Amino acid sequence: MRLVSKIAGFIPLVLIIISFIFTVLSTTSKQWAYQNFYSEGEVVALDQQIKPLWTIYRSPFWTCGRPADPQPGDHTVLCTRHSLTSFGHRACETLAGTNLPNGQDNPAYGDPRQCQQIHMAASLTVSSSIFSGLALLTTLLFLPLSHLRPTQHTHTSPTSPVQLINIWIIFSLSVSGIMLVLAQFYGVLGLIQSALPNGAYATNISISASSGPWIQGKASVIYASIGWFAAFLATGCMVVVWGVPSFAGVGAGEEREKHGRRHEETRDS
């Protein structure tokens, strides 16, 4: 029974590691959204767009595009990693107030609404990675304390080091998961819903073009989903396996101790 309890104590750690890995993958991956190209300029009907000649990607930190003057038959795709801050070109820039090369033909071009959504997704993914990393680091440093404390001692002082550590890890995981869910939401809005030419595809089923619409990639579908799901699952496991402080239990225990002392004093007198 003790062996099973010790093994169960490591389940939150495994889930925290999984959450951290996929949160970082979702932050660094360029495959949040992709667009397939089926021909070199000529119009192709949607029902004939079967095998793409090349694919470009876009994420809160990456943009991909073709060379300025590609040679016939050259399907090279160039990708650029962008900065989170305004000190360098970010993954979405408007024409107003920037020196964006090639103007609207630049892969990083977007309208103000789209850029706001993409910048929000970028900030949220970075924040989620930071809190996930803090939760993992704290767990690795203080795992012996949290692991050795049995669950039935959850009514110890809420200000004890072990309890404070548990509260901090649970808080970090919760914030990380919530931020990653919001990043996924804003990422889909900015990279899919607000992206050109998705509006045309949504309003005209008979459209013909040399490319398809923007579609969610594995970073926004798989990596981010596993990241926040593992974070929330780890939080629940921590509550069950490692426990959290019960202020009510502590208050009740203190009242019982005071009542016992008064009873002893009355008996002695």
Side-chain angles (χ1 to χ4, degrees):
M1 187 66 179
R2 182 173 296 181
L3 178 61
V4 175
S5 177
K6 288 185 176 181
I7 294 175
F10 285 98
I11 294 178
L13 174 61
V14 174
L15 292 172
I16 292 172
I17 293 175
I18 293 174
S19 176
F20 176 75
I21 290 174
F22 281 94
T23 300
V24 172
L25 281 176
S26 67
T27 303
T28 58
S29 175
K30 63 184 178 183
Q31 298 189 34
W32 275 66
Y34 67 92
Q35 184 181 25
N36 292 324
F37 285 77
Y38 301 92
S39 63
E40 299 190 40
E42 67 270 17
V43 172
V44 179
L46 280 179
D47 57 358
Q48 298 177 359
Q49 298 177 358
I50 301 175
K51 185 177 181 180
L53 296 179
W54 69 86
T55 302
I56 62 174
Y57 300 93
R58 193 169 186 178
S59 80
F61 291 103
W62 287 89
T63 57
C64 299
R66 299 295 310 285
D69 297 309
Q71 299 297 322
D74 181 12
H75 303 148
T76 302
V77 174
L78 303 177
C79 295
T80 304
R81 194 184 190 286
H82 298 270
S83 171
L84 174 65
T85 65
S86 58
F87 293 104
H89 283 302
R90 293 187 284 185
C92 187
E93 296 281 359
T94 62
L95 296 181
T98 63
N99 296 320
L100 198 63
N102 301 324
Q104 296 186 9
D105 294 329
N106 192 297
Y109 167 75
D111 60 55
R113 178 193 57 170
Q114 181 185 20
C115 288
Q116 182 187 47
Q117 295 164 348
I118 293 177
H119 295 163
M120 282 289 295
S123 300
L124 288 166
T125 53
V126 171
S127 300
S128 177
S129 298
I130 292 174
F131 277 97
S132 181
L134 290 174
L136 177 59
L137 180 62
T138 307
T139 305
L140 292 176
L141 290 176
F142 297 99
L143 178 63
L145 290 176
S146 297
H147 179 60
L148 292 176
R149 181 177 59 78
T151 306
Q152 60 266 27
H153 290 171
T154 54
H155 296 316
T156 57
S157 172
T159 58
S160 66
V162 173
Q163 297 284 26
L164 293 176
I165 291 168
N166 286 355
I167 292 175
W168 167 249
I169 297 174
I170 290 173
F171 170 78
S172 299
L173 287 173
S174 301
V175 173
S176 174
I178 292 172
M179 286 188 172
L180 196 55
V181 170
L182 292 175
Q184 195 177 34
F185 171 75
Y186 279 105
V188 171
L189 282 182
L191 300 169
I192 308 295
Q193 302 299 329
S194 299
L196 294 173
N198 277 18
Y201 283 96
T203 57
N204 189 351
I205 60 175
S206 62
I207 188 174
S208 297
S210 60
S211 64
W214 284 98
I215 303 174
Q216 279 187 261
K218 60 183 180 181
S220 60
V221 174
I222 300 175
Y223 297 163
S225 298
I226 295 178
W228 61 255
F229 182 75
F232 293 147
L233 196 59
T235 301
C237 287
M238 283 192 62
V239 173
V240 174
V241 177
W242 292 348
V244 291
S246 175
F247 292 90
V250 173
E254 292 176 349
E255 289 296 327
R256 286 194 297 269
E257 291 178 2
K258 292 180 181 178
H259 179 74
R261 285 195 299 267
R262 287 195 300 266
H263 179 71
E264 291 179 357
E265 292 174 356
T266 304
R267 184 179 60 184
D268 295 338
S269 61

